[in-house]
Amino acid sequence: ILLANYYKEYELARTNYEKAIKLKSGYVEAYNNLANLLVEDYYKEYEQARRYLEKAIELNLNEAIVYNSFASLLIMDQYK
């Protein structure tokens, strides 16, 4: 998250999240963080973000932060 939010290294952050998911396919936090990155103004990839969040929910139904991210995505998607 620091790479994207503070240093504005969006491509590097995306690459690292994608690598993390490949290394550990059940890494819910990586799916969530990648989805949050993809809704930033730099990408605006709402559909891809939605797919990552749906995958995160599939992996762990009890991860509240993912539902929070999903709600934020729905709000952003409504106003795009």
Side-chain angles (χ1 to χ4, degrees), residues 14-64:
R14 183 177 189 164
T15 298
N16 287 336
Y17 287 133
E18 289 170 345
K19 283 181 183 178
I21 289 168
K22 285 181 183 176
L23 291 171
K24 185 178 175 187
S25 62
Y27 193 7
V28 174
E29 293 84 358
Y31 282 101
N32 183 69
N33 291 344
L34 180 54
N36 287 328
L37 177 66
L38 294 178
V39 298
E40 294 287 331
D41 288 338
Y42 185 81
Y43 287 109
K44 294 185 179 181
E45 293 182 22
Y46 299 108
E47 288 305 313
Q48 184 64 37
R50 182 186 197 115
R51 286 190 287 275
Y52 282 127
L53 289 171
E54 288 170 347
K55 180 64 176 178
I57 290 169
E58 177 186 315
L59 291 169
N60 185 348
L61 293 172
N62 298 316
E63 191 67 48

Side-chain angles (χ1 to χ4, degrees), residues 53 66-76:
L53 289 171
V66 177
Y67 290 100
N68 184 51
S69 297
F70 202 92
S72 296
L73 170 66
L74 293 174
I75 292 168
M76 285 181 209

